[in-house]
Amino acid sequence: MSLNELWFLLIAVLFVGFFFLEGFDFGVGMSTRFMARNDLERRVLVNTIGPFWDANEVWLLTAGGAIFAAFPNWYATMFSGYYIPFVVLLLALIARGVSFEFRHQKASAAWRNFWDWMVFVGSILPPFLFGVLFASLIQGMPINHDMNMHAGFFDYITVFSVWGGLTVTMLCLLHGLMFITIRTEAEIQERARRMAKRVWWITIPVLVVFVVMAFFFSDIFQARPVLVPLMIAVVVVMYVLSAVFLWKGRDGLAFAFGGLGIAITVATLFVGLFPRVMISSIDSAFDLTIYNAASGNYSLTVMTIVAVTLLPFVLGYQIWSYYVFRKRVSSKEKMTY
């Protein structure tokens, strides 16, 4: 495996980890507006992700940094071409993080209601925008021979990209509801389980439609005619197993298989892209690949040494934090958020 391939793999792993971990954060944030019946229940839901959400976002920051260092041309084209969506995404993430800290700072119903809405908006916009981004990436964007992307509104917003946004949003919502079942107890847990069952019946058809649309709107099936269908079949199996355990009340297994479903879905998009990182809708000769978008060999070598040295400590810390805060959140305990 070349260093170019290795760093593409590492970036894919970072995005897979981000959607697996931050995906349930987004889902929990969305659920606060329609599942919680009072302020106490909203605080319970927010506290289920309280110890984790900021560390989970680090996966996204690391992925962005890795793209910048390993594939500077990819970074330059994507971050300039998607400038406005990324600004909206950043503002939504900031609003969500601030809301977690601000909502309990003042004993005012209006104050809390405002920040509760910011939690919801900051949780539903990012997965939708990420879905639009990834769908448009595999569909192709107007990138010219200079690696510059000049896209209009209808290049970003298409039927396929909007459906991609809806798909990722629903996957995160389902993931978050199943996370609530393993982090809460009593009535909130049972309500989350019931709602997850309903949402499952909406999410899976939405995902199936996205897969069908991807066949017609992208070339990932043609690029990987064996591996992509195989991975999609595995995704289907994961969500079927998730449903089986959800209906049996085996919440931990339901969450695990649902998480694997969203992780393999994201991985499939990267498999379909490889060795490209961005597809040109103007001419395939203008595609950005892991070769023409990459840094020099010396830079990739130094980055690999640093990553191999530091990665075990980062992973160890995050695993430890999940172990420390493994206890379920109860409405009878003192709330942090």
Side-chain angles (χ1 to χ4, degrees), residues 243-265:
V244 169
F245 288 115
L246 180 63
W247 262 264
K248 287 186 176 182
R250 304 287 297 276
D251 300 319
L253 289 172
F255 171 76
F257 282 110
L260 287 173
I262 195 171
I264 298 172
T265 300

mmCIF file with all atom_site columns, all heavy atoms in Angstrom, residues 243-265:
data_model
loop_
_atom_site.group_PDB
_atom_site.id
_atom_site.type_symbol
_atom_site.label_atom_id
_atom_site.label_alt_id
_atom_site.label_comp_id
_atom_site.label_asym_id
_atom_site.label_entity_id
_atom_site.label_seq_id
_atom_site.pdbx_PDB_ins_code
_atom_site.Cartn_x
_atom_site.Cartn_y
_atom_site.Cartn_z
_atom_site.occupancy
_atom_site.B_iso_or_equiv
_atom_site.pdbx_formal_charge
_atom_site.auth_seq_id
_atom_site.auth_comp_id
_atom_site.auth_asym_id
_atom_site.auth_atom_id
_atom_site.pdbx_PDB_model_num
ATOM 1   N N   . ALA A 1 243 ? -32.843 -4.247  13.795 1.00 0.00 ? 243 ALA A N   1
ATOM 2   C CA  . ALA A 1 243 ? -34.287 -4.283  14.038 1.00 0.00 ? 243 ALA A CA  1
ATOM 3   C C   . ALA A 1 243 ? -34.677 -5.497  14.865 1.00 0.00 ? 243 ALA A C   1
ATOM 4   O O   . ALA A 1 243 ? -35.507 -5.405  15.785 1.00 0.00 ? 243 ALA A O   1
ATOM 5   C CB  . ALA A 1 243 ? -35.038 -4.283  12.705 1.00 0.00 ? 243 ALA A CB  1
ATOM 6   N N   . VAL A 1 244 ? -34.083 -6.639  14.560 1.00 0.00 ? 244 VAL A N   1
ATOM 7   C CA  . VAL A 1 244 ? -34.398 -7.861  15.307 1.00 0.00 ? 244 VAL A CA  1
ATOM 8   C C   . VAL A 1 244 ? -34.114 -7.671  16.792 1.00 0.00 ? 244 VAL A C   1
ATOM 9   O O   . VAL A 1 244 ? -34.944 -7.986  17.655 1.00 0.00 ? 244 VAL A O   1
ATOM 10  C CB  . VAL A 1 244 ? -33.590 -9.056  14.753 1.00 0.00 ? 244 VAL A CB  1
ATOM 11  C CG1 . VAL A 1 244 ? -33.706 -10.259 15.690 1.00 0.00 ? 244 VAL A CG1 1
ATOM 12  C CG2 . VAL A 1 244 ? -34.064 -9.419  13.353 1.00 0.00 ? 244 VAL A CG2 1
ATOM 13  N N   . PHE A 1 245 ? -32.942 -7.133  17.095 1.00 0.00 ? 245 PHE A N   1
ATOM 14  C CA  . PHE A 1 245 ? -32.573 -6.945  18.504 1.00 0.00 ? 245 PHE A CA  1
ATOM 15  C C   . PHE A 1 245 ? -33.353 -5.789  19.133 1.00 0.00 ? 245 PHE A C   1
ATOM 16  O O   . PHE A 1 245 ? -33.634 -5.819  20.343 1.00 0.00 ? 245 PHE A O   1
ATOM 17  C CB  . PHE A 1 245 ? -31.078 -6.709  18.620 1.00 0.00 ? 245 PHE A CB  1
ATOM 18  C CG  . PHE A 1 245 ? -30.258 -7.942  18.353 1.00 0.00 ? 245 PHE A CG  1
ATOM 19  C CD1 . PHE A 1 245 ? -29.412 -8.013  17.258 1.00 0.00 ? 245 PHE A CD1 1
ATOM 20  C CD2 . PHE A 1 245 ? -30.350 -9.045  19.188 1.00 0.00 ? 245 PHE A CD2 1
ATOM 21  C CE1 . PHE A 1 245 ? -28.676 -9.159  17.002 1.00 0.00 ? 245 PHE A CE1 1
ATOM 22  C CE2 . PHE A 1 245 ? -29.622 -10.197 18.948 1.00 0.00 ? 245 PHE A CE2 1
ATOM 23  C CZ  . PHE A 1 245 ? -28.774 -10.253 17.852 1.00 0.00 ? 245 PHE A CZ  1
ATOM 24  N N   . LEU A 1 246 ? -33.715 -4.800  18.336 1.00 0.00 ? 246 LEU A N   1
ATOM 25  C CA  . LEU A 1 246 ? -34.519 -3.700  18.863 1.00 0.00 ? 246 LEU A CA  1
ATOM 26  C C   . LEU A 1 246 ? -35.878 -4.201  19.314 1.00 0.00 ? 246 LEU A C   1
ATOM 27  O O   . LEU A 1 246 ? -36.360 -3.865  20.399 1.00 0.00 ? 246 LEU A O   1
ATOM 28  C CB  . LEU A 1 246 ? -34.683 -2.614  17.790 1.00 0.00 ? 246 LEU A CB  1
ATOM 29  C CG  . LEU A 1 246 ? -35.498 -1.373  18.163 1.00 0.00 ? 246 LEU A CG  1
ATOM 30  C CD1 . LEU A 1 246 ? -34.835 -0.608  19.307 1.00 0.00 ? 246 LEU A CD1 1
ATOM 31  C CD2 . LEU A 1 246 ? -35.671 -0.465  16.951 1.00 0.00 ? 246 LEU A CD2 1
ATOM 32  N N   . TRP A 1 247 ? -36.509 -5.027  18.497 1.00 0.00 ? 247 TRP A N   1
ATOM 33  C CA  . TRP A 1 247 ? -37.829 -5.560  18.852 1.00 0.00 ? 247 TRP A CA  1
ATOM 34  C C   . TRP A 1 247 ? -37.747 -6.580  20.003 1.00 0.00 ? 247 TRP A C   1
ATOM 35  O O   . TRP A 1 247 ? -38.720 -6.800  20.701 1.00 0.00 ? 247 TRP A O   1
ATOM 36  C CB  . TRP A 1 247 ? -38.479 -6.190  17.632 1.00 0.00 ? 247 TRP A CB  1
ATOM 37  C CG  . TRP A 1 247 ? -39.443 -5.270  16.964 1.00 0.00 ? 247 TRP A CG  1
ATOM 38  C CD1 . TRP A 1 247 ? -40.794 -5.232  17.152 1.00 0.00 ? 247 TRP A CD1 1
ATOM 39  C CD2 . TRP A 1 247 ? -39.155 -4.227  16.010 1.00 0.00 ? 247 TRP A CD2 1
ATOM 40  N NE1 . TRP A 1 247 ? -41.349 -4.242  16.382 1.00 0.00 ? 247 TRP A NE1 1
ATOM 41  C CE2 . TRP A 1 247 ? -40.380 -3.599  15.666 1.00 0.00 ? 247 TRP A CE2 1
ATOM 42  C CE3 . TRP A 1 247 ? -37.979 -3.758  15.420 1.00 0.00 ? 247 TRP A CE3 1
ATOM 43  C CZ2 . TRP A 1 247 ? -40.463 -2.550  14.767 1.00 0.00 ? 247 TRP A CZ2 1
ATOM 44  C CZ3 . TRP A 1 247 ? -38.057 -2.715  14.524 1.00 0.00 ? 247 TRP A CZ3 1
ATOM 45  C CH2 . TRP A 1 247 ? -39.280 -2.121  14.203 1.00 0.00 ? 247 TRP A CH2 1
ATOM 46  N N   . LYS A 1 248 ? -36.573 -7.164  20.204 1.00 0.00 ? 248 LYS A N   1
ATOM 47  C CA  . LYS A 1 248 ? -36.398 -8.100  21.316 1.00 0.00 ? 248 LYS A CA  1
ATOM 48  C C   . LYS A 1 248 ? -35.974 -7.403  22.610 1.00 0.00 ? 248 LYS A C   1
ATOM 49  O O   . LYS A 1 248 ? -35.843 -8.049  23.646 1.00 0.00 ? 248 LYS A O   1
ATOM 50  C CB  . LYS A 1 248 ? -35.352 -9.158  20.952 1.00 0.00 ? 248 LYS A CB  1
ATOM 51  C CG  . LYS A 1 248 ? -35.839 -10.175 19.940 1.00 0.00 ? 248 LYS A CG  1
ATOM 52  C CD  . LYS A 1 248 ? -34.793 -11.265 19.740 1.00 0.00 ? 248 LYS A CD  1
ATOM 53  C CE  . LYS A 1 248 ? -35.307 -12.352 18.808 1.00 0.00 ? 248 LYS A CE  1
ATOM 54  N NZ  . LYS A 1 248 ? -34.310 -13.448 18.639 1.00 0.00 ? 248 LYS A NZ  1
ATOM 55  N N   . GLY A 1 249 ? -35.751 -6.093  22.525 1.00 0.00 ? 249 GLY A N   1
ATOM 56  C CA  . GLY A 1 249 ? -35.342 -5.350  23.714 1.00 0.00 ? 249 GLY A CA  1
ATOM 57  C C   . GLY A 1 249 ? -33.864 -5.490  24.031 1.00 0.00 ? 249 GLY A C   1
ATOM 58  O O   . GLY A 1 249 ? -33.438 -5.141  25.135 1.00 0.00 ? 249 GLY A O   1
ATOM 59  N N   . ARG A 1 250 ? -33.066 -5.990  23.085 1.00 0.00 ? 250 ARG A N   1
ATOM 60  C CA  . ARG A 1 250 ? -31.612 -6.106  23.275 1.00 0.00 ? 250 ARG A CA  1
ATOM 61  C C   . ARG A 1 250 ? -30.976 -4.816  22.766 1.00 0.00 ? 250 ARG A C   1
ATOM 62  O O   . ARG A 1 250 ? -30.424 -4.765  21.669 1.00 0.00 ? 250 ARG A O   1
ATOM 63  C CB  . ARG A 1 250 ? -31.085 -7.324  22.523 1.00 0.00 ? 250 ARG A CB  1
ATOM 64  C CG  . ARG A 1 250 ? -31.754 -8.647  22.899 1.00 0.00 ? 250 ARG A CG  1
ATOM 65  C CD  . ARG A 1 250 ? -31.322 -9.134  24.255 1.00 0.00 ? 250 ARG A CD  1
ATOM 66  N NE  . ARG A 1 250 ? -29.882 -9.418  24.261 1.00 0.00 ? 250 ARG A NE  1
ATOM 67  C CZ  . ARG A 1 250 ? -29.366 -10.563 23.850 1.00 0.00 ? 250 ARG A CZ  1
ATOM 68  N NH1 . ARG A 1 250 ? -30.156 -11.533 23.396 1.00 0.00 ? 250 ARG A NH1 1
ATOM 69  N NH2 . ARG A 1 250 ? -28.062 -10.757 23.896 1.00 0.00 ? 250 ARG A NH2 1
ATOM 70  N N   . ASP A 1 251 ? -31.070 -3.773  23.589 1.00 0.00 ? 251 ASP A N   1
ATOM 71  C CA  . ASP A 1 251 ? -30.721 -2.426  23.146 1.00 0.00 ? 251 ASP A CA  1
ATOM 72  C C   . ASP A 1 251 ? -29.255 -2.284  22.746 1.00 0.00 ? 251 ASP A C   1
ATOM 73  O O   . ASP A 1 251 ? -28.929 -1.594  21.775 1.00 0.00 ? 251 ASP A O   1
ATOM 74  C CB  . ASP A 1 251 ? -31.062 -1.412  24.237 1.00 0.00 ? 251 ASP A CB  1
ATOM 75  C CG  . ASP A 1 251 ? -32.539 -1.417  24.585 1.00 0.00 ? 251 ASP A CG  1
ATOM 76  O OD1 . ASP A 1 251 ? -33.361 -1.518  23.654 1.00 0.00 ? 251 ASP A OD1 1
ATOM 77  O OD2 . ASP A 1 251 ? -32.874 -1.332  25.777 1.00 0.00 ? 251 ASP A OD2 1
ATOM 78  N N   . GLY A 1 252 ? -28.345 -2.904  23.507 1.00 0.00 ? 252 GLY A N   1
ATOM 79  C CA  . GLY A 1 252 ? -26.928 -2.789  23.194 1.00 0.00 ? 252 GLY A CA  1
ATOM 80  C C   . GLY A 1 252 ? -26.588 -3.344  21.830 1.00 0.00 ? 252 GLY A C   1
ATOM 81  O O   . GLY A 1 252 ? -25.866 -2.713  21.040 1.00 0.00 ? 252 GLY A O   1
ATOM 82  N N   . LEU A 1 253 ? -27.109 -4.509  21.515 1.00 0.00 ? 253 LEU A N   1
ATOM 83  C CA  . LEU A 1 253 ? -26.851 -5.120  20.209 1.00 0.00 ? 253 LEU A CA  1
ATOM 84  C C   . LEU A 1 253 ? -27.539 -4.345  19.090 1.00 0.00 ? 253 LEU A C   1
ATOM 85  O O   . LEU A 1 253 ? -27.001 -4.202  17.992 1.00 0.00 ? 253 LEU A O   1
ATOM 86  C CB  . LEU A 1 253 ? -27.319 -6.578  20.214 1.00 0.00 ? 253 LEU A CB  1
ATOM 87  C CG  . LEU A 1 253 ? -26.461 -7.536  21.050 1.00 0.00 ? 253 LEU A CG  1
ATOM 88  C CD1 . LEU A 1 253 ? -27.131 -8.903  21.144 1.00 0.00 ? 253 LEU A CD1 1
ATOM 89  C CD2 . LEU A 1 253 ? -25.064 -7.657  20.459 1.00 0.00 ? 253 LEU A CD2 1
ATOM 90  N N   . ALA A 1 254 ? -28.743 -3.844  19.366 1.00 0.00 ? 254 ALA A N   1
ATOM 91  C CA  . ALA A 1 254 ? -29.446 -3.040  18.365 1.00 0.00 ? 254 ALA A CA  1
ATOM 92  C C   . ALA A 1 254 ? -28.631 -1.792  18.019 1.00 0.00 ? 254 ALA A C   1
ATOM 93  O O   . ALA A 1 254 ? -28.480 -1.438  16.834 1.00 0.00 ? 254 ALA A O   1
ATOM 94  C CB  . ALA A 1 254 ? -30.827 -2.649  18.877 1.00 0.00 ? 254 ALA A CB  1
ATOM 95  N N   . PHE A 1 255 ? -28.095 -1.147  19.038 1.00 0.00 ? 255 PHE A N   1
ATOM 96  C CA  . PHE A 1 255 ? -27.273 0.044   18.814 1.00 0.00 ? 255 PHE A CA  1
ATOM 97  C C   . PHE A 1 255 ? -26.002 -0.303  18.052 1.00 0.00 ? 255 PHE A C   1
ATOM 98  O O   . PHE A 1 255 ? -25.601 0.409   17.115 1.00 0.00 ? 255 PHE A O   1
ATOM 99  C CB  . PHE A 1 255 ? -26.920 0.699   20.146 1.00 0.00 ? 255 PHE A CB  1
ATOM 100 C CG  . PHE A 1 255 ? -25.906 1.796   20.037 1.00 0.00 ? 255 PHE A CG  1
ATOM 101 C CD1 . PHE A 1 255 ? -26.254 3.042   19.545 1.00 0.00 ? 255 PHE A CD1 1
ATOM 102 C CD2 . PHE A 1 255 ? -24.580 1.580   20.415 1.00 0.00 ? 255 PHE A CD2 1
ATOM 103 C CE1 . PHE A 1 255 ? -25.310 4.063   19.424 1.00 0.00 ? 255 PHE A CE1 1
ATOM 104 C CE2 . PHE A 1 255 ? -23.634 2.592   20.305 1.00 0.00 ? 255 PHE A CE2 1
ATOM 105 C CZ  . PHE A 1 255 ? -24.002 3.833   19.804 1.00 0.00 ? 255 PHE A CZ  1
ATOM 106 N N   . ALA A 1 256 ? -25.361 -1.409  18.427 1.00 0.00 ? 256 ALA A N   1
ATOM 107 C CA  . ALA A 1 256 ? -24.103 -1.802  17.788 1.00 0.00 ? 256 ALA A CA  1
ATOM 108 C C   . ALA A 1 256 ? -24.302 -2.096  16.305 1.00 0.00 ? 256 ALA A C   1
ATOM 109 O O   . ALA A 1 256 ? -23.544 -1.607  15.455 1.00 0.00 ? 256 ALA A O   1
ATOM 110 C CB  . ALA A 1 256 ? -23.526 -3.024  18.498 1.00 0.00 ? 256 ALA A CB  1
ATOM 111 N N   . PHE A 1 257 ? -25.320 -2.875  15.968 1.00 0.00 ? 257 PHE A N   1
ATOM 112 C CA  . PHE A 1 257 ? -25.546 -3.219  14.560 1.00 0.00 ? 257 PHE A CA  1
ATOM 113 C C   . PHE A 1 257 ? -26.028 -2.007  13.765 1.00 0.00 ? 257 PHE A C   1
ATOM 114 O O   . PHE A 1 257 ? -25.674 -1.846  12.589 1.00 0.00 ? 257 PHE A O   1
ATOM 115 C CB  . PHE A 1 257 ? -26.526 -4.378  14.446 1.00 0.00 ? 257 PHE A CB  1
ATOM 116 C CG  . PHE A 1 257 ? -25.913 -5.709  14.743 1.00 0.00 ? 257 PHE A CG  1
ATOM 117 C CD1 . PHE A 1 257 ? -26.246 -6.410  15.884 1.00 0.00 ? 257 PHE A CD1 1
ATOM 118 C CD2 . PHE A 1 257 ? -24.981 -6.262  13.879 1.00 0.00 ? 257 PHE A CD2 1
ATOM 119 C CE1 . PHE A 1 257 ? -25.666 -7.645  16.172 1.00 0.00 ? 257 PHE A CE1 1
ATOM 120 C CE2 . PHE A 1 257 ? -24.395 -7.498  14.145 1.00 0.00 ? 257 PHE A CE2 1
ATOM 121 C CZ  . PHE A 1 257 ? -24.739 -8.191  15.300 1.00 0.00 ? 257 PHE A CZ  1
ATOM 122 N N   . GLY A 1 258 ? -26.835 -1.135  14.392 1.00 0.00 ? 258 GLY A N   1
ATOM 123 C CA  . GLY A 1 258 ? -27.246 0.091   13.711 1.00 0.00 ? 258 GLY A CA  1
ATOM 124 C C   . GLY A 1 258 ? -26.050 0.996   13.460 1.00 0.00 ? 258 GLY A C   1
ATOM 125 O O   . GLY A 1 258 ? -25.937 1.623   12.396 1.00 0.00 ? 258 GLY A O   1
ATOM 126 N N   . GLY A 1 259 ? -25.140 1.065   14.424 1.00 0.00 ? 259 GLY A N   1
ATOM 127 C CA  . GLY A 1 259 ? -23.927 1.855   14.245 1.00 0.00 ? 259 GLY A CA  1
ATOM 128 C C   . GLY A 1 259 ? -23.048 1.308   13.137 1.00 0.00 ? 259 GLY A C   1
ATOM 129 O O   . GLY A 1 259 ? -22.471 2.061   12.341 1.00 0.00 ? 259 GLY A O   1
ATOM 130 N N   . LEU A 1 260 ? -22.945 -0.035  13.067 1.00 0.00 ? 260 LEU A N   1
ATOM 131 C CA  . LEU A 1 260 ? -22.193 -0.648  11.971 1.00 0.00 ? 260 LEU A CA  1
ATOM 132 C C   . LEU A 1 260 ? -22.848 -0.341  10.622 1.00 0.00 ? 260 LEU A C   1
ATOM 133 O O   . LEU A 1 260 ? -22.159 -0.157  9.613  1.00 0.00 ? 260 LEU A O   1
ATOM 134 C CB  . LEU A 1 260 ? -22.104 -2.159  12.182 1.00 0.00 ? 260 LEU A CB  1
ATOM 135 C CG  . LEU A 1 260 ? -21.162 -2.633  13.285 1.00 0.00 ? 260 LEU A CG  1
ATOM 136 C CD1 . LEU A 1 260 ? -21.303 -4.132  13.496 1.00 0.00 ? 260 LEU A CD1 1
ATOM 137 C CD2 . LEU A 1 260 ? -19.715 -2.266  12.960 1.00 0.00 ? 260 LEU A CD2 1
ATOM 138 N N   . GLY A 1 261 ? -24.174 -0.265  10.617 1.00 0.00 ? 261 GLY A N   1
ATOM 139 C CA  . GLY A 1 261 ? -24.887 0.075   9.389  1.00 0.00 ? 261 GLY A CA  1
ATOM 140 C C   . GLY A 1 261 ? -24.505 1.439   8.870  1.00 0.00 ? 261 GLY A C   1
ATOM 141 O O   . GLY A 1 261 ? -24.191 1.615   7.681  1.00 0.00 ? 261 GLY A O   1
ATOM 142 N N   . ILE A 1 262 ? -24.492 2.436   9.755  1.00 0.00 ? 262 ILE A N   1
ATOM 143 C CA  . ILE A 1 262 ? -24.147 3.796   9.312  1.00 0.00 ? 262 ILE A CA  1
ATOM 144 C C   . ILE A 1 262 ? -22.666 3.885   8.976  1.00 0.00 ? 262 ILE A C   1
ATOM 145 O O   . ILE A 1 262 ? -22.266 4.586   8.028  1.00 0.00 ? 262 ILE A O   1
ATOM 146 C CB  . ILE A 1 262 ? -24.556 4.841   10.381 1.00 0.00 ? 262 ILE A CB  1
ATOM 147 C CG1 . ILE A 1 262 ? -24.537 6.247   9.785  1.00 0.00 ? 262 ILE A CG1 1
ATOM 148 C CG2 . ILE A 1 262 ? -23.663 4.799   11.605 1.00 0.00 ? 262 ILE A CG2 1
ATOM 149 C CD1 . ILE A 1 262 ? -25.136 7.306   10.697 1.00 0.00 ? 262 ILE A CD1 1
ATOM 150 N N   . ALA A 1 263 ? -21.813 3.136   9.691  1.00 0.00 ? 263 ALA A N   1
ATOM 151 C CA  . ALA A 1 263 ? -20.381 3.156   9.422  1.00 0.00 ? 263 ALA A CA  1
ATOM 152 C C   . ALA A 1 263 ? -20.077 2.553   8.054  1.00 0.00 ? 263 ALA A C   1
ATOM 153 O O   . ALA A 1 263 ? -19.300 3.121   7.267  1.00 0.00 ? 263 ALA A O   1
ATOM 154 C CB  . ALA A 1 263 ? -19.634 2.393   10.516 1.00 0.00 ? 263 ALA A CB  1
ATOM 155 N N   . ILE A 1 264 ? -20.697 1.423   7.733  1.00 0.00 ? 264 ILE A N   1
ATOM 156 C CA  . ILE A 1 264 ? -20.433 0.774   6.445  1.00 0.00 ? 264 ILE A CA  1
ATOM 157 C C   . ILE A 1 264 ? -21.035 1.580   5.305  1.00 0.00 ? 264 ILE A C   1
ATOM 158 O O   . ILE A 1 264 ? -20.493 1.601   4.185  1.00 0.00 ? 264 ILE A O   1
ATOM 159 C CB  . ILE A 1 264 ? -20.977 -0.669  6.463  1.00 0.00 ? 264 ILE A CB  1
ATOM 160 C CG1 . ILE A 1 264 ? -20.267 -1.486  7.540  1.00 0.00 ? 264 ILE A CG1 1
ATOM 161 C CG2 . ILE A 1 264 ? -20.774 -1.348  5.106  1.00 0.00 ? 264 ILE A CG2 1
ATOM 162 C CD1 . ILE A 1 264 ? -20.867 -2.852  7.771  1.00 0.00 ? 264 ILE A CD1 1
ATOM 163 N N   . THR A 1 265 ? -22.136 2.283   5.561  1.00 0.00 ? 265 THR A N   1
ATOM 164 C CA  . THR A 1 265 ? -22.712 3.166   4.535  1.00 0.00 ? 265 THR A CA  1
ATOM 165 C C   . THR A 1 265 ? -21.718 4.245   4.131  1.00 0.00 ? 265 THR A C   1
ATOM 166 O O   . THR A 1 265 ? -21.502 4.505   2.936  1.00 0.00 ? 265 THR A O   1
ATOM 167 C CB  . THR A 1 265 ? -24.007 3.812   5.050  1.00 0.00 ? 265 THR A CB  1
ATOM 168 O OG1 . THR A 1 265 ? -24.962 2.796   5.364  1.00 0.00 ? 265 THR A OG1 1
ATOM 169 C CG2 . THR A 1 265 ? -24.596 4.745   4.000  1.00 0.00 ? 265 THR A CG2 1
#
